[in-house]
Amino acid sequence: MAAVIAEACGVPAPRLRIPMLPAKLAAWALEKTCASFGKEAPLNRSRLAFFLDPKALSNANAKRELGFRPKVDFRTGAARATPTVPCWPPP
């Protein structure tokens, strides 16, 4: 998914892979630190879980239960959507 979005933005795909344990520890630490200041953490355990859970990014339930049929594939959708949001780093 990251490679497709990077391609649509015209930037190289990320090569850095962060091990799960340090990512979870960072999310926990950010959550606790930001909460002490009454702020929402940019990365928290819930947001991290969303990206780690493959079911969260699947449209299988919508297809099965609602008869959803996407009009475009993910690559085409990403290419159409990226001009509407800023890409980082800018090309």
Side-chain angles (χ1 to χ4, degrees):
M1 179 172 62
V4 171
I5 294 170
E7 178 185 311
C9 289
V11 297
R15 291 181 288 181
L16 177 66
R17 297 208 182 248
I18 300 171
M20 195 177 315
L21 181 59
K24 286 182 176 182
L25 289 172
W28 176 82
L30 278 169
E31 197 174 310
K32 298 300 179 189
T33 302
C34 290
S36 69
F37 292 103
K39 303 281 185 183
E40 186 176 350
L43 175 67
N44 58 34
R45 290 173 290 176
S46 176
R47 288 185 180 141
L48 183 61
F50 174 81
F51 289 102
L52 296 176
D53 180 6
K55 293 180 287 185
L57 302 173
S58 172
N59 61 9
N61 285 346
K63 287 179 177 179
R64 184 179 61 254
E65 296 175 19
L66 304 173
F68 171 72
R69 297 290 172 255
K71 293 182 181 179
V72 297
D73 64 359
F74 182 73
R75 186 176 301 278
T76 303
R80 288 182 185 175
T82 52
T84 65
V85 294
C87 292
W88 186 257

